[in-house]
Amino acid sequence: FCLPMIPHDSWARRPLSRLVRLCSLKAAAALASLGIGLVLAANFEVLLLRTVLLAQKASHLGARDPADLDWERVSPVGQSGIANDNGGQNGSGNGDADTGHTARLQFSKYFSTFTDFDAKRAPEVNDPSHAFPALGVMDPKDFPPVPFFLYDEPEMQLNELKAKPSCYGLMDPDIKFISDCRKHPWRTLNPEEAEWFIIGIPVGSSVWCGTVRLSITSKSTHHVRLKRAFRALVSHEVWKKHRGNNHLLLMFDYRFLPWSDGGSALPDDPARGEWTHREKLLQNVTVMTFENWNSNPPLCAKYSSAFSKYCTQSLYVPMPWEYWRCTVVVPYLCGHRLNATRVQKVVPSYTFEEWLARPYTFFYVDASKQDWGGSSDSTGTSVRRESFKLSDAPGAHIGHKRIAPPDHWAALSNSKFCFGMVGDTPSTHRIYELVRSMCIPVIISDLWKRVGKPFETLLAWDAFSFFIPATAFLKDSKESIAFLYTLPMAVLKQKFRSLLAAREALNWRSESLLTSTFSILSANDFCGGKRGLDLTPPIPIDNSRRQLRSGRQPTYNNSTSNSNTKNKSNTNNNTDHNLTTTNGSSNIQLSPRRASNNDNDDDDNDDDDDNNNNNNNNNSNNNNKLSPFFSARRDFDATRAPEVNDPSYAWPAPVLGVADPRDLPPVPFYLYDEPEMQLNELKASPSCYGLMDPDVKFISDCRTHPWRTLNPDKAKWFIIGIPVGSSIWCGQVGSSTHQDRLEKAFLALISHEVWRKHGGKNHLLLMFDYRFLAWAENQGSNALPEDPARGEWSSRHALLKDVTVMTYENWNTNPDLCQKYSSSFNKYCSNSKYVWLPWEYWRCTVVVPYLAGHRLNDTLVQAVVPSYTFEDWLARPYTLFYLDTSNQTWASGSSGTSVRQKSFRLSDAPGAHIGGKRLPPPEHWKALSESKFCIGAVGDTPTTHRVYEIIRNMCIPVIVSDLMLRVGRPFDNYLAWDAFAFFIPQSAFLKDVKESVAFLYTLPMAVLEQKFRSLLAAREVLNWRSESMLTTTFAIASANDFCGGERGLNLTAPIPFDQKI
C-alpha cells in the first residue's frame, strides 16, 4: 500500500521492497503449511474414525476390550446371560452364580464418583445415597430389576457425531442414556432373558447436529445417518423376532412429532422394506420423550368415540402427539448447549442452612418481548409476562432480558424459589435446571401434571415443589406467591430434603445411573402392561337406588390369588362387618419388619395400658414402635381380607408419598384431662357425641397414646382436652348449655398450674367448627364465650393468643403473620377474593382431616366395607361418581357453584354415576365404595369433608379445588397428595369438563395400582374413624413441625437484576 507512494530514486524504496518480498514469501509459506495441515488432519480423523468403528465391531464379535470387564453388573434373577461383577456370565462358568440373590439390586451399583458435588464443603455427598430416604421419592434400593437388551451395533452408534463437539451430548439426553445402558447392571447380553429392548440410536443428537463435516471432501447428514442406523436395526434378528414390541427409543426432539412437518426428522426409507414408513417402523415401539398426551393411534381409536375431542383437543393445538404405541415421559437435559465443565463449575448448596443463606428469595429471567404458544395472548405468554410484575417482591431477582448461561446457572444456585413456567407446551427444560440447582420449583403450568410429569409412579412432585394455578397467578401474581414467605422452617426443610433426592433422579448430568434407571422402570410401568379402563355405559342414580331397595348387594371379586398370605386362623372370626376378636386384638401374622420390632411386646391389652403411663416418659430418646399406634380393627371385613386387621399391612415396604409411621420421632405431650374439661354430659346425646367433630376421637387417642407423659416437665406440647366442637354441635343437653360447659371447662384450664406456667405457649386445641373462626365473629357467633371470671384471659383473643389450633384450613392470617407480611403484600389479610379473611386469632394453625361420615354412627359407617385389593377395586361397577344437590349455591369467592354445577354434565361419561339429588348417607357411602374415581369439588371454601369420605372408601379422589393444596392439605410434611389423588385445574374443568377427565380412562394399570397402593396407606393416616392412632399421631407430629419452630422467611429488599452477587 505504501510502496507506490515512495519515489523510485528515494533511498527508502530499496529496503522497503526487500521487506515486502520477504513478507510475501513467508505468508505464502504459512498458507501452504496451513492447507497441508488441514488435509492431514482431516485424513487422520477419517482414519481414526475407521479405527474406532473396527475396534467396536471387533468388540461386538467377541474381542472384548479389557475395560468392559470392569462393568459392575449383577444378575437380577440369577440367570445366565447377564454379566456379573466379574464380567462373566452367571451359570456359564465365568464367575460364580449368586443363587441366593433376592432380586434386588445393590444400592451402590447405581452410583459412581460424583464430580459435580463439592467434596470440600460436603464430603459425604460424593455418595448420592445420602439423599435417601425422602418423602415422595422412591429409594433405588427398593427397585425390582428390569433386564433389558441393548442394540449397540456400530452402525447405530453414529460415532461421526463426535466430530462436532459443540452438539454431541449437549442438546439431547440420548447420548447419556445409551452410555448408561452400556454399563447398567440390568443389561443382559442374551436377548432371550430381556423384558425390554433398547434401541441405541441417538436420533435426537443426530437431528441437532445436522450436517457434520468429516473432512474437506466428506460429510455426514442427519437423514443418511438415520437411514443407515435403522436399516441395521430392522435387519437384526432380535427386531425380526419381536417386530418392535417392548422396544424402547429415546426420541426427545419436537421435530419427530407428527404435528411438526409430519415428523419428517425421522425419514422414510424404501430400503427398509415393510418398515419403509416411519409410522409402520414405530407402530409397536415405546418412545421416551418430554410429554405424554396419550394420543397414540390405539388410544385415539378407543376413546375418541366416548370423548369426541380426545385427539383434537381445544386445550392444546398440536394434537395428536404420537404415532407410536406408547409414550414415557423423561426429564429434559438441563443446561443444554453447555458442556460438562461449565455446568459442574456451578455447585449449589447441599445443606439446608446453606440454602437458607441464599441471597435471592425469588428468581426468574426471560425475554420480555417473546411470544409463547404461537401468540401474544396465549397462556404461556401471559404467565411469563405477569412474572415481571414481581420485580418489587421481597428478595426478588427478576429480569426482563436473558443472560449468559453461566450467569443464569449462578443465579439459580443463589435463589431459594424459582419459577417454572408454561411455554410453547406445558413442559419446559427450565424446571430441570431449577431441580439441578437445588432451587425449589414453583411451577405455573396447569397441564404439566397431566402430560409433562416424569416418573409418576416413582416421584410425588408435591413433596419437593409448589404448584400455583395459572388463573390465580394471572389474577394477582403477588398475592398468589405470598404464602411461600410464611412457610415454617420444617416444611421448607422437608421440601429441600426431598428435592435433594429427586435431583438424583431428574439430572441427566449426574454420573449416577439413577435417571436412566427411573426411565427404564417408568417404561415398564407405563407401557409394559394393560393400559386404559374399559368403557361401560353410564349408570343412572335411580337404577342403583332401585337395586338397593330390592336388597341386591354388590358382588366382590373374592380372588384367592393372595391366599398364601392370609392367616388361616381367622376363618372362625365373626363374618359380619362389625368384626371383634375375643381379646380385642388381631392374631394376624406380622410382617417381618414389624415383627422384629415387637418381639418383646406383651399381648395383654391391660398390661399395655399400664405401661403407657409408666414407660412413655422414657421414650423421648428411642425410635417409636409401630404397634402402640394400633388396636383391634372393626372397620375391615376379615372374610375378604383378614390380613388387613393389622394396619401395618399398608407399609410392608416404602409407599410413594406416605411417610412410614415407624420413622416418626416421638413428640412427648401432656394432656389436660380434668373432669371439668371432659364434658361428660355430652354422652347423654348420642346423636351428636363424637359424630360431628373429630375432637372426641382425638382426645380419646391422646389418653392412651405412647407419646403421652404424665410429667409436664418432660412434655414438649400440652394438649387441651376440651371437645369444644362437639359441644357446639350438641347444643343444649338436658339443662347443660354450650356456654355453661365451656365457661366451666376453660376456667378449670386457666386455673391449672401448668397453664399458669406456660400461658398457652405450645398448647394444642382441636377447634374444628367454622363458628370458632375470626370471620364468624362478625356474624354474631359466640361459639367460644368470653368470661370475666377468667381475669386476664377473659376475652377469647387473649385466651388463644399463644395457642396452636388444629382445624380444617390454614390461611396463615394469624395476627403475627398479618402484621409481618401486610406491608409487603397489601392484600395478605384482606383478600378481596375470600371475604372470610382473616381466618385466625390464635398463634398458629395446623390442618387436620375432616371427620368422614359425620352424622353417621359407627355401625352405619362400618357396614360399608370398601375393597382392599387392587383386583377388587378394578371390579367396581362405577368408573366416576359425583352426587350433590343441583340447585344449591356456594360461596361466590370459591367458584364452588360453577364447578359443582359443571360436574353434572358428566352424567353421560363412560361408567359415570352422577346425580343432582343427594342420597341418604348409607346409600351415598355404598356408592363411594363401589366407584373407582370420585370427584371432590370446591364448595364454600377450598376444602370439603367429601374428600375424606372418598378416601375412607378407597375411591381415588379427583380434586377440583385450586387452593386446597395451599390451605387445606393436612400433614404436608408426611403426605404428598399427588401420590394418591388427581388434581384438575378449575379453569380446565370449567372450559370442557368431559375433556378434562378423559385422561383418567387411559391410565396404565401400573399407575392406577400405585395410586391405589398409596391411597391404602394414606387412608390409615386420614381416617379418624379408624381405631388406629395414626391420624392423631400425624396431627401431633404436624403440630410440632408447623408450629414448634421458626416460621416465615425474612423480608429483604428486591435485588435489581443488574446487581449480581
Side-chain angles (χ1 to χ4, degrees):
F1 176 77
C2 297
L3 192 60
M5 301 179 186
I6 302 175
H8 286 279
D9 56 351
S10 172
W11 64 269
R13 184 173 179 83
R14 177 171 287 187
L16 189 58
S17 298
R18 291 178 178 176
L19 180 62
V20 169
R21 285 196 296 271
L22 180 62
C23 291
S24 299
L25 289 172
K26 289 187 174 182
L31 288 173
S33 301
L34 180 61
I36 294 171
L38 290 174
V39 172
L40 291 175
N43 289 330
F44 177 76
E45 188 176 3
V46 173
L47 180 62
L48 181 62
L49 284 173
R50 289 179 178 176
T51 304
V52 170
L53 291 174
L54 288 172
Q56 290 177 344
K57 187 172 183 180
S59 175
H60 174 69
L61 294 175
R64 300 180 62 191
D65 190 280
D68 294 343
L69 301 179
D70 293 332
W71 291 359
E72 292 187 336
R73 299 178 181 174
V74 61
S75 169
V77 288
Q79 297 175 342
S80 63
I82 299 181
N84 61 20
D85 289 338
N86 298 319
Q89 305 289 329
N90 286 334
S92 63
N94 297 326
D96 297 331
D98 182 8
T99 56
H101 199 337
T102 60
R104 292 188 181 273
L105 284 172
Q106 297 179 24
F107 186 51
S108 61
K109 299 294 183 183
Y110 292 110
F111 303 107
S112 56
T113 305
F114 215 73
T115 57
D116 64 341
F117 281 89
D118 184 355
K120 294 181 180 178
R121 293 169 59 213
E124 71 277 5
V125 298
N126 284 320
D127 176 14
S129 64
H130 78 284
F132 299 93
L135 178 68
V137 184
M138 292 301 289
D139 197 320
K141 63 176 175 288
D142 298 316
F143 295 157
V146 181
F148 64 85
F149 175 84
L150 174 66
Y151 290 93
D152 203 25
E153 315 307 303
E155 298 86 352
M156 302 183 193
Q157 295 173 4
L158 310 188
N159 286 304
E160 57 265 48
L161 298 179
K162 297 177 181 178
K164 197 170 184 179
S166 61
C167 76
Y168 182 74
L170 303 184
M171 308 300 293
D172 198 283
D174 52 11
I175 297 293
K176 176 63 164 59
F177 176 67
I178 296 169
S179 174
D180 285 352
C181 288
R182 290 192 179 108
K183 57 188 176 183
H184 201 283
W186 292 348
R187 181 185 180 186
T188 173
L189 303 180
N190 183 354
E192 298 298 327
E193 297 174 350
E195 296 179 14
W196 283 90
F197 306 89
I198 295 178
I199 302 171
I201 304 176
V203 292
S205 291
S206 180
V207 76
W208 272 106
C209 290
T211 300
V212 178
R213 179 69 61 178
L214 301 178
S215 67
I216 292 178
T217 59
S218 65
K219 62 182 180 180
S220 170
T221 64
H222 167 65
H223 277 195
V224 170
R225 290 189 297 267
L226 287 201
K227 286 180 179 179
R228 183 187 72 233
F230 280 101
R231 287 173 190 172
L233 172 68
V234 300
S235 62
H236 200 288
E237 292 301 322
V238 176
W239 175 273
K240 291 179 180 179
K241 179 179 180 180
H242 296 277
R243 302 179 62 83
N245 289 301
N246 279 22
H247 277 59
L248 195 58
L249 174 65
L250 200 156
M251 200 163 65
F252 212 83
D253 196 270
Y254 72 94
R255 285 166 285 191
F256 293 108
L257 301 174
W259 53 265
S260 175
D261 194 22
S264 60
L266 183 61
D268 291 339
D269 183 9
R272 294 197 298 255
E274 67 170 310
W275 314 104
T276 295
H277 300 292
R278 66 181 72 91
E279 290 82 2
K280 177 65 175 178
L281 179 68
L282 300 186
Q283 180 181 5
N284 298 319
V285 172
T286 293
V287 167
M288 298 190 298
T289 189
F290 55 97
E291 286 175 10
N292 177 19
W293 287 83
N294 278 314
S295 58
N296 55 67
L299 290 181
C300 285
K302 181 175 182 179
Y303 294 105
S304 290
S305 59
F307 303 96
S308 57
K309 297 180 181 180
Y310 184 71
C311 284
T312 57
Q313 298 189 38
S314 59
L315 291 176
Y316 192 65
V317 177
M319 295 293 286
W321 190 267
E322 306 101 337
Y323 51 86
W324 42 84
R325 190 187 74 87
C326 187
T327 303
V328 181
V329 179
V330 294
Y332 285 72
L333 176 71
C334 63
H336 65 295
R337 296 187 176 90
L338 294 179
N339 60 36
T341 303
R342 298 179 73 186
V343 172
Q344 291 169 4
K345 284 182 179 179
V346 182
V347 181
S349 334
Y350 290 102
T351 67
F352 181 64
E353 292 70 22
E354 289 178 321
W355 182 87
L356 274 180
R358 293 184 174 191
Y360 309 146
T361 304
F362 256 105
F363 173 74
Y364 181 72
V365 62
D366 207 344
S368 59
K369 296 182 179 180
Q370 182 171 347
D371 291 339
W372 302 88
S375 67
S376 59
D377 60 349
S378 69
T379 302
T381 303
S382 303
V383 165
R384 294 194 177 213
R385 291 182 180 173
E386 182 70 23
S387 307
F388 301 132
K389 297 180 182 179
L390 294 171
S391 57
D392 62 340
H397 193 54
I398 308 292
H400 298 248
K401 185 173 69 174
R402 290 180 180 172
I403 55 179
D407 293 337
H408 183 89
W409 278 70
L412 290 174
S413 298
N414 276 321
S415 306
K416 299 181 180 72
F417 302 102
C418 299
F419 283 124
M421 302 287 191
V422 58
D424 289 325
T425 71
S427 65
T428 169
H429 67 93
R430 296 292 186 196
I431 290 176
Y432 304 96
E433 294 178 356
L434 312 184
V435 171
R436 194 268 172 197
S437 299
M438 291 300 297
C439 186
I440 295 178
V442 180
I443 299 174
I444 305 175
S445 179
D446 289 349
L447 286 173
W448 187 85
K449 276 192 173 185
R450 170 178 159 187
V451 302
K453 182 170 63 172
F455 311 151
E456 187 170 3
T457 58
L458 306 169
L459 296 180
W461 280 71
D462 281 345
F464 55 88
S465 54
F466 295 98
F467 293 85
I468 297 178
T471 50
F473 188 78
L474 291 173
K475 183 171 184 179
D476 193 325
S477 57
K478 204 170 182 182
E479 178 186 329
S480 69
I481 67 167
F483 77 98
L484 295 168
Y485 291 82
T486 69
L487 294 169
M489 290 298 107
V491 173
L492 295 175
K493 192 170 184 177
Q494 176 271 308
K495 296 283 185 184
F496 178 88
R497 174 73 181 172
S498 293
L499 182 63
L500 194 60
R503 179 189 187 275
E504 297 305 314
L506 296 169
N507 180 21
W508 289 108
R509 295 281 188 175
S510 167
E511 292 190 10
S512 74
L513 305 178
L514 272 192
T515 311
S516 296
T517 302
F518 273 59
S519 299
I520 297 169
L521 282 166
S522 291
N524 195 54
D525 284 348
F526 277 74
C527 304
K530 183 183 175 183
R531 302 174 64 231
L533 297 172
D534 295 332
L535 297 177
T536 59
I539 305 170
I541 289 287
D542 291 342
N543 288 358
S544 64
R545 297 195 68 185
R546 282 195 293 269
Q547 292 175 8
L548 287 169
R549 284 196 296 269
S550 66
R552 290 179 57 189
Q553 297 296 324
T555 58
Y556 295 98
N557 178 16
N558 293 318
S559 173
T560 58
S561 59
N562 295 325
S563 60
N564 58 326
T565 63
K566 295 184 179 181
N567 192 325
K568 303 300 182 182
S569 62
N570 279 320
T571 54
N572 294 326
N573 285 344
N574 296 334
T575 58
D576 63 350
H577 296 302
N578 296 324
L579 172 68
T580 55
T581 55
T582 56
N583 60 356
S585 62
S586 171
N587 58 352
I588 303 305
Q589 182 67 38
L590 302 180
S591 62
R593 180 176 175 182
R594 181 170 186 257
S596 65
N597 289 335
N598 296 286
D599 290 340
N600 297 322
D601 284 349
D602 191 336
D603 290 333
D604 188 341
N605 287 341
D606 294 333
D607 292 344
D608 286 345
D609 292 337
D610 293 337
N611 290 335
N612 279 335
N613 293 334
N614 296 330
N615 297 334
N616 284 330
N617 296 335
N618 299 322
N619 280 343
S620 59
N621 296 324
N622 298 324
N623 288 331
N624 197 41
K625 294 182 178 181
L626 183 64
S627 57
F629 294 123
F630 303 104
S631 56
R633 299 270 310 176
R634 289 199 300 266
D635 62 341
F636 282 90
D637 182 359
T639 62
R640 294 177 54 227
E643 71 275 9
V644 300
N645 287 320
D646 174 15
S648 66
Y649 80 100
W651 286 274
V655 179
L656 180 65
V658 184
D660 194 319
R662 287 165 283 203
D663 298 327
L664 296 179
V667 181
F669 66 85
Y670 175 84
L671 174 66
Y672 290 94
D673 202 25
E674 314 307 306
E676 299 86 351
M677 303 182 194
Q678 295 175 5
L679 310 188
N680 288 310
E681 53 266 48
L682 297 179
K683 296 178 182 179
S685 181
S687 62
C688 75
Y689 182 71
L691 304 184
M692 308 300 295
D693 199 284
D695 52 11
V696 171
K697 175 65 163 59
F698 175 70
I699 296 169
S700 174
D701 284 351
C702 288
R703 290 190 178 108
T704 58
H705 201 282
W707 291 350
R708 181 185 181 185
T709 174
L710 301 180
N711 184 350
D713 293 332
K714 294 183 178 181
K716 190 172 183 179
W717 284 88
F718 306 90
I719 295 178
I720 302 172
I722 305 176
V724 291
S726 293
S727 178
I728 197 173
W729 273 107
C730 290
Q732 184 164 345
V733 179
S735 60
S736 171
T737 65
H738 167 67
Q739 184 165 345
D740 291 340
R741 291 191 294 268
L742 289 201
E743 286 179 355
K744 294 178 182 178
F746 280 102
L747 195 60
L749 172 68
I750 65 166
S751 303
H752 201 288
E753 58 181 8
V754 175
W755 174 274
R756 294 186 176 276
K757 179 179 180 180
H758 296 277
K761 293 179 180 179
N762 279 22
H763 278 58
L764 194 58
L765 174 65
L766 200 155
M767 200 161 65
F768 213 83
D769 196 89
Y770 74 93
R771 287 166 283 190
F772 294 108
L773 301 175
W775 56 268
E777 293 181 308
N778 300 328
Q779 301 178 0
S781 173
N782 193 27
L784 187 60
E786 308 208 340
D787 183 7
R790 296 199 296 256
E792 62 175 310
W793 316 105
S794 59
S795 72
R796 66 179 70 92
H797 287 228
L799 180 67
L800 300 186
K801 178 183 177 183
D802 295 319
V803 171
T804 293
V805 168
M806 297 190 298
T807 189
Y808 55 96
E809 287 176 11
N810 177 18
W811 288 83
N812 277 315
T813 54
N814 57 67
D816 293 340
L817 292 180
C818 285
Q819 182 178 0
K820 181 176 182 179
Y821 293 105
S822 289
S823 59
S824 296
F825 304 96
N826 54 10
K827 296 181 180 179
Y828 184 71
C829 284
S830 56
N831 191 308
S832 59
K833 185 175 180 180
Y834 293 98
V835 295
W836 48 72
L837 292 183
W839 191 267
E840 307 101 336
Y841 51 87
W842 43 84
R843 191 187 74 86
C844 187
T845 303
V846 180
V847 179
V848 294
Y850 284 73
L851 177 69
H854 65 293
R855 296 186 175 89
L856 294 180
N857 60 37
D858 288 343
T859 303
L860 289 173
V861 169
Q862 292 165 7
V864 179
V865 182
S867 333
Y868 289 102
T869 68
F870 182 63
E871 292 74 17
D872 283 347
W873 182 88
L874 276 179
R876 292 184 173 194
Y878 311 142
T879 303
L880 188 65
F881 174 74
Y882 180 73
L883 187 66
D884 205 349
T885 304
S886 59
N887 58 359
Q888 184 171 348
T889 58
W890 305 86
S892 58
S894 68
S895 303
T897 303
S898 302
V899 169
R900 295 194 176 209
Q901 291 289 336
K902 185 70 75 168
S903 303
F904 300 129
R905 298 191 181 182
L906 291 170
S907 58
D908 62 341
H913 196 51
I914 309 293
K917 184 178 180 181
R918 291 180 179 174
L919 296 174
E923 296 182 21
H924 183 90
W925 275 62
K926 199 73 168 176
L928 289 173
S929 66
E930 294 176 347
S931 305
K932 297 181 181 73
F933 302 104
C934 298
I935 296 175
V938 58
D940 286 326
T941 71
T943 61
T944 169
H945 67 94
R946 296 294 185 194
V947 170
Y948 302 95
E949 294 177 355
I950 292 169
I951 291 172
R952 191 271 173 197
N953 287 289
M954 290 301 297
C955 186
I956 295 178
V958 180
I959 299 174
V960 189
S961 177
D962 288 348
L963 284 173
M964 181 179 171
L965 285 178
R966 171 183 158 185
V967 304
R969 183 171 63 177
F971 312 152
D972 203 19
N973 268 17
Y974 305 106
L975 297 180
W977 278 64
D978 65 343
F980 55 86
F982 294 101
F983 290 85
I984 297 179
Q986 291 176 199
S987 58
F989 193 79
L990 293 173
K991 184 176 182 179
D992 192 323
V993 62
K994 204 169 180 182
E995 180 183 336
S996 70
V997 303
F999 77 99
L1000 296 169
Y1001 293 79
T1002 69
L1003 294 169
M1005 291 298 106
V1007 174
L1008 296 175
E1009 188 168 6
Q1010 175 271 305
K1011 295 284 186 185
F1012 178 87
R1013 176 73 185 158
S1014 293
L1015 182 63
L1016 198 59
R1019 177 191 186 275
E1020 296 304 313
V1021 177
L1022 296 170
N1023 179 22
W1024 290 106
R1025 293 283 189 174
S1026 167
E1027 293 194 7
S1028 75
M1029 299 182 182
L1030 280 189
T1031 311
T1032 296
T1033 300
F1034 277 75
I1036 297 171
S1038 292
N1040 191 56
D1041 283 350
F1042 278 73
C1043 303
E1046 184 182 354
R1047 303 174 64 230
L1049 297 173
N1050 294 326
L1051 298 177
T1052 58
I1055 303 170
F1057 200 69
D1058 56 358
Q1059 178 183 341
K1060 295 184 177 64
I1061 296 182

